[in-house]
Amino acid sequence: MAAGRAGAVLAALGVLSVCAASSSGPVAEGGGGGKAEWAEPWDGAVFRPPSALGVARALGAPRTGREEAVDLPVLLWWSPGLFPHFPGDSERIECARGACVASRDRRVHRDPRTRALLFYGTDFRASDAPLPRLAHQSWALLHEESPLNNFLLSHGPGIRLFNLTSTFSRHSDYPLPLQWLPGTAYLRHSGPPLQERAEWRRRGHAPLLYLQSHCDVPADRDRYVRELMRYIPVDSYGKCLQNRKLPTARLQDTVTATTEDPELLAFLSRYKFHLALENAICNDYMTEKLWRPMHLGAVPVYRGAPSVRDWMPNNHSIILIDDFESPQKLAEFIDFLDKNDEEYMKYLAYKQPGGITNQFLLDSLKHREWGVNDPLLPNYLNGFECFVCDHELTRLDAEKAHAASPGDIPVPEPHIAQLSHMDCPVPAPGIGDVEEIPENDSNPVLTRDHCICLIFIWPHLEKGSTHNGAAVP
């Protein structure tokens, strides 16, 4: 989703800015594992941003006129980057507990009916924040992206500005850890036979694929891949560490690794192993870099979410980079699997009937309220709006109950977001220690000064210190 262009982050967090400066086709099955098989969408757009989905807004009731929405709670989207996702300035939405009005008209900011302000994390900037906060309003954050898009939200003072959250973390209020996984049929999709992949190898291609055009990211993945290349052949097609070109001029125009073009998918499926390294390391942050190789029948060689084992279809479906003491040891293991078909196929057992044995994964897919390009379910953007709507209706009822009987019913306590809602450790080098990073390193996210800033400045901010006279939240 496009980032907005607002200003800098809250003045109380400004010290970090100083430091830093030195996916059309519907899913063929519902969430949990129906018998329908996955069908590749004809236009390749498996994963599109929620703003483009156009899912019906009314969930259980017909749309009604604006005049009937006079007394409904208003949810004001403060971030412009997600729009338009409904026509006009506002629209009534029907949710489980009742109705609200979703709006993007900032003129209603101070209206007493405006009960919640909704922010998209990538667009959140302090210079544009509606301060001072109004006492009757909740702040709600939708930020399914990694810290690469707004790293301040990964720290306590940033995330605790919000009452409600929807992030990749299972611990957020409206969690989105499986935002890139359409369903179990997507995982069961069969890949090319081993004979075809063996022929691909005989034609001079490497066992390992790397397709990445976003270089110099917090996870410092290119540094690790560069070292791995010393011990095993890697075909790298993106802008990062490129040593091969994609087979056609059209595919060579691909600027990211998220394209779901059918021609590209067919090409990528010929590789037995895909290097799948996320742009940031956060618990539960898993993207198409992980799920797409599994869909294609390749084995992901993965570095990303430390919690990734919790979500895998079984306990033998990916190779975790961090399980190996060095890139050389990892290369030796991949070479062993490349030469032993029986051992290799154990990593694809989840594609067989009954092969998905992780009940936590199955239950999570079955019970989520939203779908991935599923016309029968809301997308998570609409689902998030209804989650906030229901929360505000509940809060209104609690406030009315207190007003009717203040001596017996207390004022409802505010809900405050926690650090676990964006659970991301401080960035670390892809290999080696911070002290080993050269002075002229090309990765601006991982310069030694920046790492030292993050390691030593943030703990003091977390303890409620002040900066330029302003108390850190």
Side-chain angles (χ1 to χ4, degrees):
M1 283 183 274
R5 289 192 189 73
V9 186
L10 291 173
L13 305 179
V15 62
L16 289 182
S17 298
V18 175
C19 292
S22 58
S23 328
S24 103
V27 177
E29 75 169 358
K35 295 182 179 179
E37 289 303 319
W38 172 267
E40 297 289 359
W42 65 273
D43 66 353
V46 176
F47 302 111
R48 296 187 296 179
S51 56
L53 292 180
V55 174
R57 305 279 298 164
L59 307 178
R63 187 176 306 198
T64 57
R66 180 181 297 228
E67 67 280 2
E68 298 180 26
V70 171
D71 297 322
L72 297 180
V74 175
L75 315 179
L76 174 58
W77 275 101
W78 200 258
S79 302
L82 294 181
F83 296 106
H85 82 287
F86 53 78
D89 288 332
S90 63
E91 181 166 322
R92 176 181 174 129
I93 59 175
E94 301 288 341
C95 303
R97 290 188 61 87
C100 293
V101 173
S103 176
R104 55 178 172 176
D105 185 351
R106 290 189 175 186
R107 292 174 298 178
V108 305
H109 166 219
R110 294 188 174 275
D111 193 301
R113 293 169 299 177
T114 302
R115 298 283 300 182
L117 268 59
L118 280 58
F119 301 87
Y120 181 51
T122 300
D123 291 346
F124 180 73
R125 300 294 185 271
S127 64
D128 189 48
L131 299 174
R133 288 184 57 160
L134 302 184
H136 71 284
Q137 291 177 349
S138 299
W139 279 21
L141 172 71
L142 172 65
H143 191 48
E144 87 290 14
E145 298 281 3
S146 81
L148 181 65
N149 298 75
N150 195 338
F151 77 94
L152 295 178
L153 296 175
S154 299
H155 302 280
I159 195 67
R160 284 196 295 268
L161 293 169
F162 300 92
N163 303 101
L164 304 173
T165 63
S166 180
T167 77
F168 53 78
S169 171
R170 76 185 83 178
H171 301 296
S172 68
D173 300 305
Y174 191 79
L176 306 172
L178 298 176
Q179 60 186 290
W180 289 97
L181 180 59
T184 54
Y186 183 79
L187 292 174
R188 292 198 302 266
H189 179 272
S190 60
L194 282 179
Q195 297 90 327
E196 182 177 327
R197 287 170 164 170
E199 175 60 27
W200 187 247
R201 293 281 283 113
R202 285 192 290 270
R203 289 166 57 185
H205 292 274
L208 264 172
L209 166 85
Y210 189 51
L211 175 60
Q212 194 53 250
S213 292
H214 195 173
C215 315
D216 296 334
V217 298
D220 200 29
R221 54 195 171 201
D222 294 340
R223 195 189 309 273
Y224 187 92
V225 175
R226 187 182 297 112
E227 181 69 13
L228 182 66
M229 286 175 164
R230 296 177 55 196
Y231 305 104
I232 192 169
V234 177
D235 287 350
S236 181
Y237 290 94
K239 293 181 179 179
C240 310
L241 309 179
Q242 185 184 76
N243 56 25
R244 281 184 179 267
K245 289 186 177 182
L246 290 166
T248 66
R250 185 175 67 82
L251 293 183
Q252 290 168 17
D253 287 338
T254 301
V255 295
T256 72
T258 61
T259 301
E260 298 292 330
D261 184 277
E263 181 183 351
L264 178 62
L265 292 177
F267 177 78
L268 300 181
S269 69
R270 295 171 178 149
Y271 285 86
K272 295 170 70 174
F273 304 91
H274 289 200
L275 280 166
L277 291 82
E278 306 289 6
N279 63 36
I281 308 299
C282 304
N283 275 310
D284 299 338
Y285 180 64
M286 302 163 293
T287 70
E288 85 291 345
K289 296 174 186 64
L290 169 65
W291 302 115
R292 183 176 59 194
M294 302 182 80
H295 169 63
L296 297 176
V299 177
V301 181
Y302 184 75
R303 173 180 275 171
S307 58
V308 68
R309 282 189 175 94
D310 294 349
W311 303 97
M312 289 299 93
N314 61 31
N315 59 8
H316 200 79
S317 48
I318 62 172
I319 298 171
L320 295 181
I321 287 174
D322 291 337
D323 283 349
F324 295 84
E325 63 183 45
S326 68
Q328 182 177 3
K329 293 296 184 182
L330 172 62
E332 291 171 359
F333 183 69
I334 294 172
D335 183 62
F336 165 75
L337 292 180
D338 186 39
K339 296 174 180 176
N340 292 269
D341 290 349
E342 183 177 351
E343 292 298 316
Y344 175 82
M345 291 303 296
K346 290 179 180 179
Y347 282 85
L348 302 180
Y350 64 88
K351 292 186 175 292
Q352 302 305 315
I356 300 178
T357 59
N358 184 349
Q359 196 60 44
F360 177 67
L361 173 67
L362 294 172
D363 289 344
S364 297
L365 287 168
K366 180 178 180 180
H367 296 301
R368 67 183 180 185
E369 300 173 353
W370 43 271
V372 180
N373 284 1
D374 187 338
L376 302 180
L377 291 172
N379 59 71
Y380 59 72
L381 174 57
N382 299 142
F384 173 65
E385 286 179 339
C386 266
F387 170 77
V388 177
C389 175
D390 289 340
H391 178 272
E392 292 310 308
L393 291 170
T394 300
R395 191 163 68 94
L396 270 171
D397 288 344
E399 291 174 357
K400 291 176 182 177
H402 167 73
S405 184
D408 298 323
I409 301 177
V411 177
E413 291 288 332
H415 179 80
I416 305 297
Q418 300 299 312
L419 184 59
S420 62
H421 295 198
M422 283 283 292
D423 193 1
C424 306
V426 172
I431 187 170
D433 299 320
V434 172
E435 292 76 12
E436 299 172 5
I437 299 177
E439 292 285 353
N440 61 346
D441 186 80
S442 63
N443 188 344
V445 181
L446 280 167
T447 62
R448 282 187 290 179
D449 288 344
H450 186 209
C451 287
I452 290 171
C453 166
L454 289 174
I455 292 170
F456 291 105
I457 297 297
W458 266 113
H460 295 291
L461 292 179
E462 293 279 4
K463 295 174 183 176
S465 63
T466 61
H467 175 66
N468 290 340
V472 176

